[in-house]
Amino acid sequence: MLETFLKNPSKTELYVLELSSYQLDELSASPDLAVVTNLFPEHMTHHGGIEPYYEAKKNLIRHQNAAAVFMVNTAHPLIRKWTQETPARAVPFSTWIPKKTPLLGEHNRSNLAAALAATQQARQWLHKKPCTQAQLQKALQSFAPLPHRLQKVGTFKGITFYDDAISTSPESTIEAIKALSPLAPIGTLFLGGEDRGYDFTELEKVLRRYKIPKLILLPDTGKRILKSKKGFQTFEANSLEEAVALAFKHTPRGTLCVLSTASPHAFGMSFEDRGNKFQNLIRKNE
């Protein structure tokens, strides 16, 4: 059905699709405008390795033609290289981004750069004038970020809680740490979930670099995220209720407590369910 949609696009409307590597795996058609923001080694159990994952992602551009556009994150060497593997016209992300946006973190600024460039390209196809910077700034000011993505839950008992349940890979948790640390020290971080064979080496380096003192480790990966617990105070929790109780007990006042597990399906829950329960438990413990 997806291939039928891509091969027979509407002549009067533009549709925006976010496609996972699962959906891209057997894709035999590519969109007129393709955006690859970044590459993380996710879903390794499904794809069987990093190269099959890259090949699945590449289906987004593999079937494009010369009239199509490939929006390129020029900061990513491998994505730059992909421009040689599609006849589509390569267009870099926008170089202009508003100084103030409702989104935290450099990774979100990169996402904004992609969205702004794609917007201007879409307007060109619709034979409309490009948006001015003032128009784009106004649109961004009214944008409300989605839940569970660096979402501030509130300050309770002197601790400010953030729900970043969407971060289910080491790379995304690293970005969360970088985005939140300038706001206040991170006192406690929730880590762990289903074991998909991720490499946590860089995450451990970042935990030490940002001097995050307390870690609440969840099954199953919580036990293997750290090669050494030296320098950390760690706690193991077998339920989200237990994890939140530990956070209230041990997180220093004036610091942040962040749910950003670096692994999927902690406690067998989707990120939405986990984030909602996390927020509800925090408010009950207030």
Side-chain angles (χ1 to χ4, degrees):
M1 183 176 179
L2 181 57
E3 284 86 351
T4 301
F5 178 83
L6 290 171
K7 290 176 181 178
N8 299 280
S10 168
K11 296 184 182 302
T12 58
E13 296 178 298
L14 291 177
Y15 293 90
V16 180
L17 304 176
E18 180 182 7
L19 303 176
S20 72
S21 60
Y22 289 92
Q23 293 171 298
L24 294 172
D25 208 3
E26 298 180 356
L27 200 66
S28 61
S30 298
D32 294 323
L33 193 156
V35 182
V36 180
T37 55
N38 216 318
L39 295 169
F40 290 149
E42 291 190 296
H43 309 307
M44 292 298 98
T45 53
H46 172 79
H47 295 291
I50 191 67
E51 289 304 323
Y53 164 76
Y54 287 156
E55 289 303 309
K57 285 282 192 176
K58 209 179 294 183
N59 277 339
L60 193 66
I61 62 170
R62 182 172 278 121
H63 311 289
Q64 287 187 301
N65 57 37
V69 171
F70 176 24
M71 311 299 302
V72 181
N73 181 356
T74 56
H76 198 295
L78 183 56
I79 296 176
R80 287 203 311 270
K81 186 178 178 181
W82 286 6
T83 61
Q84 302 168 19
E85 301 182 41
T86 174
R89 178 166 56 92
V91 175
F93 288 5
S94 174
T95 56
W96 176 83
I97 305 173
K99 291 182 179 180
K100 292 185 178 180
T101 76
L103 298 173
L104 297 173
E106 285 303 312
H107 63 301
N108 275 324
R109 291 183 67 79
S110 177
N111 290 340
L112 281 177
L116 293 175
T119 296
Q120 301 293 41
Q121 178 61 52
R123 291 185 68 84
Q124 180 179 328
W125 279 343
L126 293 171
H127 305 292
K128 294 184 177 181
K129 293 180 179 179
C131 292
T132 65
Q133 290 185 2
Q135 289 172 323
L136 293 171
Q137 177 72 73
K138 184 178 180 181
L140 287 173
Q141 286 174 342
S142 63
F143 174 75
L146 294 171
H148 317 305
R149 293 158 173 82
L150 296 174
Q151 180 184 1
K152 184 177 180 179
V153 183
T155 301
F156 305 88
K157 297 182 180 178
I159 306 163
T160 301
F161 290 84
Y162 274 86
D163 170 5
D164 189 47
I166 187 67
S167 286
T168 56
S169 70
E171 292 81 5
S172 54
T173 294
I174 288 170
E175 293 301 326
I177 293 169
K178 292 178 179 178
L180 292 174
S181 291
L183 304 180
I186 297 176
T188 302
L189 184 66
F190 288 36
L191 291 172
E194 181 182 298
D195 196 338
R196 290 189 175 175
Y198 292 158
D199 183 351
F200 297 106
T201 304
E202 187 61 29
L203 174 60
E204 182 173 355
K205 291 178 183 177
V206 171
L207 295 173
R208 295 185 185 282
R209 188 183 311 145
Y210 284 86
K211 299 179 179 178
I212 298 175
K214 302 174 190 292
L215 304 174
I216 299 178
L217 304 177
L218 317 177
D220 293 313
T221 58
K223 292 182 179 180
R224 76 172 188 84
I225 284 176
L226 300 175
K227 291 181 179 178
S228 169
K229 293 183 179 180
K230 185 177 181 180
F232 299 106
Q233 187 176 9
T234 63
F235 309 89
E236 294 185 11
N238 293 311
S239 69
L240 198 52
E241 289 86 349
E242 184 182 0
V244 169
L246 285 167
F248 271 107
K249 183 177 180 180
H250 296 285
T251 306
R253 294 175 65 87
T255 68
L256 309 182
C257 176
V258 184
L259 173 71
S260 186
T261 58
S263 299
H265 304 304
F267 303 121
M269 304 168 70
S270 68
F271 79 84
E272 296 97 338
D273 290 342
R274 185 168 57 256
N276 288 333
K277 188 171 183 179
F278 175 71
Q279 295 193 31
N280 290 335
L281 289 169
I282 289 166
R283 295 186 175 99
K284 286 180 181 178
N285 279 272
E286 182 184 3

